[in-house]
Amino acid sequence: MDIMIILQLVVFLGAIFIGIRLGGIAIGYAGGLGVVILGLVLGMKPGNIPWDVILIIAAAIAAISAMQQAGGLDYMVKVTERILRKHPRFINYLAPACGWLLTILAGTGNAVFSLMPVVIDVAKSQNIKPSVPLSLMVVASQIGITASPVSAAVVYMTGVLEPLGWNYPALIGIWIVTTFAACMITAFIVSLITPMDLSKDPVYQERLKAGLVKSASDVLQSEDKPGAKLSVAIFLFTVLAVVLYATAISNNIKWIDPVVIPRDAAIMSFLLTAATLITFLCKVEPAKILDTSVFKSGMTACVCVFGVAWLGNTFVAGHEAGIKEVAGEWVKQTPAMLAVAFFFASMLLYSQAATAKAIVPVIIAALGISATNPADSYMLVACFAAVSALFVLPTYPTLLGAVQMDDTGTTRIGKFIFNHAFFIPGVLAIAIAVALGFLAVGML
């Protein structure tokens, strides 16, 4: 490894480190800084900007934020709250299941923010450390992205895999089953190996004596807005329409042929249409949509993907030949190594879609995968869930939100960065999902 490669690697990792330290939207800013230094100082050609990923995220956020302003997101969370409070003993299973489902439907894990106070309150009532169901829910919300029909990551991966002979409904089915099963198996294992008695936690006892532990109830007791249920119905119908349309134009089915509107354009236009209908029929004030938490976090995600994915693509494209050679040898010998590559890349690139966009083309080229030689494409299907390692560095918004909202102090970040409540559940869930993925593709 010569000095130039070392310098480029230092700039790549350094820009990511600076972005993570600054936090929030600054992660994307720092990605742009890294591209400038790599290009102007170290002579690397800027990579491709993932516009398709960014635009799909923007379209999804447009529809979801309109639904939130109409009261629909609060209604969905309120229904979920009833389920959690009705069966409090099963909080360790219901919390990740509900977080996973909301993510599947909405295409964003940010929906779990509103559930966190409820999970904390229910866990307290059962003398369970809130860190257990909270960490499971956050991990489920991240891994659920790889099974959501309206997420940018799934849209990209299905677009790559369909020309290789994979059926769209089969792909969605595999990822839904394997990710959900992985979340539930992880919940079972974590519940067995984790000391859950809240009353025995020393930090909780200290905070309790100091009067810092409060009830998190009654946060979702307001009346539904007039258009809440209608907005949910419109959005869920749109998600169903996306799945049906993508199935109808699938190469293996071809119910619609010729295809006038390609899938990416259809998904974006469907979501924008949903936003229009919600705004008009539910009498939402467009200006107020910009103030919703979903819109703000969603636009932050767009900027982060813009900067970090551009930086990642610049570095990967600049060393594509070497990466192809190494990746080709490792993945051919041990297919599960692809999951390891996805895992570490997503830890740095901070986005499931950006990770897939950066790594998949390199692997396809390295293994010589094509429409005439699709045999090794099964690895991509089986390992896809591993792009969800956004929990490793304790800086992701939903992870930080869980830490901040848990007034018992059980959901905390240790002195060594990686020793936090989300690490073990996250690694377990990804490992199990990948193992189930290989099992599922082997049965097809």
Side-chain angles (χ1 to χ4, degrees):
M1 184 181 290
D2 60 31
I3 187 65
M4 185 59 74
I5 296 177
I6 293 174
L7 288 174
Q8 291 167 351
L9 182 61
V10 168
V11 171
F12 170 64
L13 296 176
I16 292 173
F17 176 76
I18 290 171
I20 290 173
R21 287 297 300 270
L22 293 173
I25 199 170
I27 296 170
Y29 297 164
L33 171 64
V35 173
V36 169
I37 298 174
L38 288 177
L40 296 182
V41 179
L42 300 178
M44 296 191 78
K45 181 181 178 182
N48 296 321
I49 300 173
W51 291 118
D52 51 348
V53 171
I54 294 169
L55 293 175
I56 289 170
I57 293 173
I61 292 303
I64 298 165
S65 54
M67 179 176 67
Q68 183 182 28
Q69 183 58 35
L73 194 58
D74 287 340
Y75 175 74
M76 290 174 68
V77 171
K78 190 177 293 185
V79 171
T80 309
E81 178 191 7
R82 294 193 192 107
I83 296 172
L84 292 173
R85 292 193 185 281
K86 190 174 181 180
H87 307 282
R89 290 182 301 167
F90 304 106
I91 185 66
N92 286 352
Y93 297 94
L94 289 175
C98 292
W100 177 88
L101 181 59
L102 282 176
T103 302
I104 291 288
L105 296 176
T108 173
N110 291 325
V112 300
F113 273 117
S114 300
L115 276 181
M116 288 178 184
V118 181
V119 171
I120 293 167
D121 194 47
V122 173
K124 287 179 190 176
S125 71
Q126 298 299 304
N127 194 37
I128 293 173
K129 291 182 180 179
S131 60
V132 179
L134 278 178
S135 61
L136 290 167
M137 183 173 69
V138 168
V139 167
S141 72
Q142 292 185 2
I143 203 170
I145 289 292
T146 60
S148 171
V150 292
S151 75
V154 168
V155 172
Y156 171 74
M157 283 298 287
T158 52
V160 169
L161 290 166
E162 275 198 282
L164 302 177
W166 288 91
N167 188 299
Y168 178 83
L171 289 172
I172 296 295
I174 289 171
W175 293 332
I176 284 178
V177 171
T178 56
T179 57
F180 181 73
C183 290
M184 293 299 97
I185 294 171
T186 299
F188 175 74
I189 295 173
V190 169
S191 297
L192 284 179
I193 66 175
T194 306
M196 292 192 296
D197 191 336
L198 178 61
S199 64
K200 294 182 179 179
D201 188 88
V203 175
Y204 167 69
Q205 290 298 336
E206 289 177 8
R207 294 180 63 83
L208 191 63
K209 290 178 182 177
L212 298 175
V213 180
K214 301 177 182 178
S215 173
S217 60
D218 300 326
V219 293
L220 299 173
Q221 302 305 314
S222 58
E223 292 185 3
D224 295 333
K225 291 183 179 180
K229 294 180 182 179
L230 178 58
S231 68
V232 172
I234 292 171
F235 186 81
L236 294 184
F237 178 81
T238 302
V239 173
L240 179 61
V242 165
V243 174
L244 292 177
Y245 185 83
T247 300
I249 65 173
S250 174
N251 292 333
N252 305 84
I253 295 177
K254 291 187 176 180
W255 290 337
I256 298 176
D257 192 21
V259 177
V260 177
I261 303 178
R263 183 175 49 203
D264 286 12
I267 291 173
M268 288 184 279
S269 59
F270 283 11
L271 289 169
L272 291 175
T273 298
T276 303
L277 292 174
I278 291 171
T279 303
F280 177 71
L281 296 176
C282 301
K283 299 179 181 179
V284 173
E285 293 184 38
K288 291 185 177 180
I289 294 175
L290 306 181
D291 295 325
T292 61
S293 60
V294 168
F295 186 86
K296 292 175 181 177
S297 61
M299 291 304 105
T300 297
C302 284
V303 175
C304 289
V305 169
F306 179 16
V308 176
W310 192 14
L311 173 64
N313 190 279
T314 298
F315 183 81
V316 170
H319 300 285
E320 188 169 357
I323 294 173
K324 281 181 184 177
E325 184 178 349
V326 174
E329 291 179 5
W330 286 2
V331 175
K332 278 182 180 178
Q333 292 176 5
T334 310
M337 285 300 296
L338 175 56
V340 176
F342 277 157
F343 185 95
F344 284 103
S346 62
M347 183 180 80
L348 297 174
L349 296 180
Y350 235 52
S351 163
Q352 292 91 337
T355 301
K357 190 88 174 179
I359 302 298
V360 168
V362 177
I363 295 299
I364 287 177
L367 299 180
I369 299 172
S370 65
T372 56
N373 182 34
D376 289 335
S377 62
Y378 77 92
M379 301 177 190
L380 299 172
V381 180
C383 295
F384 181 41
V387 301
S388 304
L390 282 60
F391 57 82
V392 176
L393 297 175
T395 52
Y396 200 72
T398 49
L399 187 153
L400 291 176
V403 172
Q404 292 165 1
M405 290 187 198
D406 182 7
D407 58 357
T408 68
T410 62
T411 310
R412 48 187 179 260
I413 298 170
K415 296 180 180 179
F416 304 104
I417 302 177
F418 298 107
N419 58 329
H420 52 75
F422 309 87
F423 189 81
I424 292 176
V427 172
L428 275 174
I430 285 180
I432 294 168
V434 170
L436 292 175
F438 277 109
L439 181 64
V441 297
M443 296 171 62
L444 295 179

mmCIF file of all heavy atoms in Angstrom, residues 360-380:
data_model
loop_
_atom_site.group_PDB
_atom_site.id
_atom_site.type_symbol
_atom_site.label_atom_id
_atom_site.label_comp_id
_atom_site.label_asym_id
_atom_site.label_seq_id
_atom_site.Cartn_x
_atom_site.Cartn_y
_atom_site.Cartn_z
ATOM 1 N N VAL A 360 -22.564 -3.047 -4.088
ATOM 2 C CA VAL A 360 -23.141 -4.047 -4.998
ATOM 3 C C VAL A 360 -22.521 -4.024 -6.393
ATOM 4 O O VAL A 360 -22.166 -5.084 -6.930
ATOM 5 C CB VAL A 360 -24.682 -3.887 -5.068
ATOM 6 C CG1 VAL A 360 -25.264 -4.716 -6.212
ATOM 7 C CG2 VAL A 360 -25.306 -4.310 -3.744
ATOM 8 N N PRO A 361 -22.366 -2.860 -7.042
ATOM 9 C CA PRO A 361 -21.766 -2.876 -8.389
ATOM 10 C C PRO A 361 -20.363 -3.476 -8.402
ATOM 11 O O PRO A 361 -19.983 -4.164 -9.358
ATOM 12 C CB PRO A 361 -21.737 -1.393 -8.782
ATOM 13 C CG PRO A 361 -22.796 -0.759 -7.954
ATOM 14 C CD PRO A 361 -22.769 -1.490 -6.654
ATOM 15 N N VAL A 362 -19.599 -3.224 -7.347
ATOM 16 C CA VAL A 362 -18.240 -3.765 -7.268
ATOM 17 C C VAL A 362 -18.273 -5.288 -7.160
ATOM 18 O O VAL A 362 -17.503 -5.991 -7.820
ATOM 19 C CB VAL A 362 -17.494 -3.156 -6.062
ATOM 20 C CG1 VAL A 362 -16.105 -3.778 -5.927
ATOM 21 C CG2 VAL A 362 -17.369 -1.651 -6.208
ATOM 22 N N ILE A 363 -19.179 -5.800 -6.339
ATOM 23 C CA ILE A 363 -19.290 -7.257 -6.158
ATOM 24 C C ILE A 363 -19.773 -7.920 -7.445
ATOM 25 O O ILE A 363 -19.260 -8.986 -7.839
ATOM 26 C CB ILE A 363 -20.256 -7.581 -4.997
ATOM 27 C CG1 ILE A 363 -19.681 -7.070 -3.664
ATOM 28 C CG2 ILE A 363 -20.531 -9.074 -4.920
ATOM 29 C CD1 ILE A 363 -18.355 -7.688 -3.274
ATOM 30 N N ILE A 364 -20.730 -7.300 -8.103
ATOM 31 C CA ILE A 364 -21.241 -7.852 -9.360
ATOM 32 C C ILE A 364 -20.120 -7.946 -10.387
ATOM 33 O O ILE A 364 -19.963 -8.961 -11.082
ATOM 34 C CB ILE A 364 -22.409 -6.991 -9.895
ATOM 35 C CG1 ILE A 364 -23.658 -7.228 -9.040
ATOM 36 C CG2 ILE A 364 -22.701 -7.316 -11.354
ATOM 37 C CD1 ILE A 364 -24.840 -6.377 -9.432
ATOM 38 N N ALA A 365 -19.316 -6.887 -10.472
ATOM 39 C CA ALA A 365 -18.198 -6.891 -11.418
ATOM 40 C C ALA A 365 -17.126 -7.901 -11.006
ATOM 41 O O ALA A 365 -16.558 -8.608 -11.847
ATOM 42 C CB ALA A 365 -17.608 -5.485 -11.523
ATOM 43 N N ALA A 366 -16.855 -7.970 -9.716
ATOM 44 C CA ALA A 366 -15.803 -8.872 -9.223
ATOM 45 C C ALA A 366 -16.138 -10.334 -9.472
ATOM 46 O O ALA A 366 -15.263 -11.146 -9.792
ATOM 47 C CB ALA A 366 -15.580 -8.631 -7.737
ATOM 48 N N LEU A 367 -17.422 -10.684 -9.302
ATOM 49 C CA LEU A 367 -17.842 -12.076 -9.476
ATOM 50 C C LEU A 367 -18.311 -12.387 -10.892
ATOM 51 O O LEU A 367 -18.677 -13.519 -11.194
ATOM 52 C CB LEU A 367 -18.965 -12.405 -8.484
ATOM 53 C CG LEU A 367 -18.608 -12.287 -6.995
ATOM 54 C CD1 LEU A 367 -19.807 -12.648 -6.132
ATOM 55 C CD2 LEU A 367 -17.425 -13.180 -6.649
ATOM 56 N N GLY A 368 -18.322 -11.375 -11.756
ATOM 57 C CA GLY A 368 -18.763 -11.589 -13.133
ATOM 58 C C GLY A 368 -20.234 -11.928 -13.244
ATOM 59 O O GLY A 368 -20.657 -12.656 -14.147
ATOM 60 N N ILE A 369 -21.045 -11.398 -12.338
ATOM 61 C CA ILE A 369 -22.488 -11.671 -12.355
ATOM 62 C C ILE A 369 -23.139 -10.889 -13.486
ATOM 63 O O ILE A 369 -22.881 -9.698 -13.673
ATOM 64 C CB ILE A 369 -23.124 -11.286 -11.012
ATOM 65 C CG1 ILE A 369 -22.520 -12.109 -9.872
ATOM 66 C CG2 ILE A 369 -24.637 -11.484 -11.042
ATOM 67 C CD1 ILE A 369 -22.960 -11.664 -8.489
ATOM 68 N N SER A 370 -23.994 -11.549 -14.234
ATOM 69 C CA SER A 370 -24.710 -10.897 -15.335
ATOM 70 C C SER A 370 -25.989 -11.659 -15.605
ATOM 71 O O SER A 370 -26.248 -12.703 -14.991
ATOM 72 C CB SER A 370 -23.839 -10.867 -16.600
ATOM 73 O OG SER A 370 -23.605 -12.184 -17.074
ATOM 74 N N ALA A 371 -26.788 -11.155 -16.550
ATOM 75 C CA ALA A 371 -28.040 -11.828 -16.897
ATOM 76 C C ALA A 371 -27.776 -13.221 -17.464
ATOM 77 O O ALA A 371 -28.583 -14.133 -17.295
ATOM 78 C CB ALA A 371 -28.816 -10.991 -17.910
ATOM 79 N N THR A 372 -26.630 -13.395 -18.114
ATOM 80 C CA THR A 372 -26.288 -14.710 -18.665
ATOM 81 C C THR A 372 -25.518 -15.577 -17.670
ATOM 82 O O THR A 372 -25.354 -16.772 -17.881
ATOM 83 C CB THR A 372 -25.433 -14.541 -19.937
ATOM 84 O OG1 THR A 372 -24.278 -13.740 -19.622
ATOM 85 C CG2 THR A 372 -26.246 -13.847 -21.035
ATOM 86 N N ASN A 373 -25.050 -14.946 -16.585
ATOM 87 C CA ASN A 373 -24.325 -15.684 -15.555
ATOM 88 C C ASN A 373 -24.783 -15.206 -14.165
ATOM 89 O O ASN A 373 -24.033 -14.576 -13.421
ATOM 90 C CB ASN A 373 -22.811 -15.472 -15.709
ATOM 91 C CG ASN A 373 -22.011 -16.260 -14.684
ATOM 92 O OD1 ASN A 373 -22.392 -17.365 -14.283
ATOM 93 N ND2 ASN A 373 -20.894 -15.685 -14.240
ATOM 94 N N PRO A 374 -26.042 -15.504 -13.811
ATOM 95 C CA PRO A 374 -26.614 -14.956 -12.564
ATOM 96 C C PRO A 374 -26.416 -15.823 -11.328
ATOM 97 O O PRO A 374 -26.927 -15.506 -10.262
ATOM 98 C CB PRO A 374 -28.106 -14.877 -12.908
ATOM 99 C CG PRO A 374 -28.316 -16.071 -13.788
ATOM 100 C CD PRO A 374 -27.041 -16.256 -14.576
ATOM 101 N N ALA A 375 -25.663 -16.912 -11.459
ATOM 102 C CA ALA A 375 -25.611 -17.917 -10.389
ATOM 103 C C ALA A 375 -25.254 -17.337 -9.027
ATOM 104 O O ALA A 375 -25.888 -17.647 -8.009
ATOM 105 C CB ALA A 375 -24.623 -19.019 -10.769
ATOM 106 N N ASP A 376 -24.221 -16.492 -8.974
ATOM 107 C CA ASP A 376 -23.761 -15.985 -7.684
ATOM 108 C C ASP A 376 -24.615 -14.844 -7.127
ATOM 109 O O ASP A 376 -24.325 -14.332 -6.029
ATOM 110 C CB ASP A 376 -22.307 -15.498 -7.804
ATOM 111 C CG ASP A 376 -21.324 -16.644 -7.974
ATOM 112 O OD1 ASP A 376 -21.660 -17.763 -7.536
ATOM 113 O OD2 ASP A 376 -20.236 -16.428 -8.538
ATOM 114 N N SER A 377 -25.651 -14.444 -7.850
ATOM 115 C CA SER A 377 -26.487 -13.329 -7.380
ATOM 116 C C SER A 377 -27.238 -13.669 -6.098
ATOM 117 O O SER A 377 -27.714 -12.774 -5.391
ATOM 118 C CB SER A 377 -27.478 -12.908 -8.468
ATOM 119 O OG SER A 377 -28.366 -13.964 -8.792
ATOM 120 N N TYR A 378 -27.333 -14.965 -5.787
ATOM 121 C CA TYR A 378 -28.031 -15.364 -4.550
ATOM 122 C C TYR A 378 -27.367 -14.751 -3.317
ATOM 123 O O TYR A 378 -28.016 -14.507 -2.298
ATOM 124 C CB TYR A 378 -28.063 -16.890 -4.437
ATOM 125 C CG TYR A 378 -26.752 -17.516 -4.004
ATOM 126 C CD1 TYR A 378 -26.475 -17.764 -2.655
ATOM 127 C CD2 TYR A 378 -25.773 -17.846 -4.935
ATOM 128 C CE1 TYR A 378 -25.273 -18.328 -2.258
ATOM 129 C CE2 TYR A 378 -24.567 -18.406 -4.552
ATOM 130 C CZ TYR A 378 -24.322 -18.645 -3.217
ATOM 131 O OH TYR A 378 -23.132 -19.193 -2.823
ATOM 132 N N MET A 379 -26.053 -14.503 -3.414
ATOM 133 C CA MET A 379 -25.327 -13.911 -2.280
ATOM 134 C C MET A 379 -25.868 -12.529 -1.945
ATOM 135 O O MET A 379 -25.987 -12.157 -0.779
ATOM 136 C CB MET A 379 -23.835 -13.789 -2.609
ATOM 137 C CG MET A 379 -23.133 -15.072 -2.949
ATOM 138 S SD MET A 379 -21.416 -14.732 -3.393
ATOM 139 C CE MET A 379 -20.908 -16.320 -4.038
ATOM 140 N N LEU A 380 -26.184 -11.761 -2.977
ATOM 141 C CA LEU A 380 -26.704 -10.408 -2.782
ATOM 142 C C LEU A 380 -28.045 -10.450 -2.068
ATOM 143 O O LEU A 380 -28.329 -9.627 -1.197
ATOM 144 C CB LEU A 380 -26.838 -9.694 -4.125
ATOM 145 C CG LEU A 380 -25.548 -9.497 -4.924
ATOM 146 C CD1 LEU A 380 -25.867 -8.965 -6.320
ATOM 147 C CD2 LEU A 380 -24.610 -8.534 -4.203
#
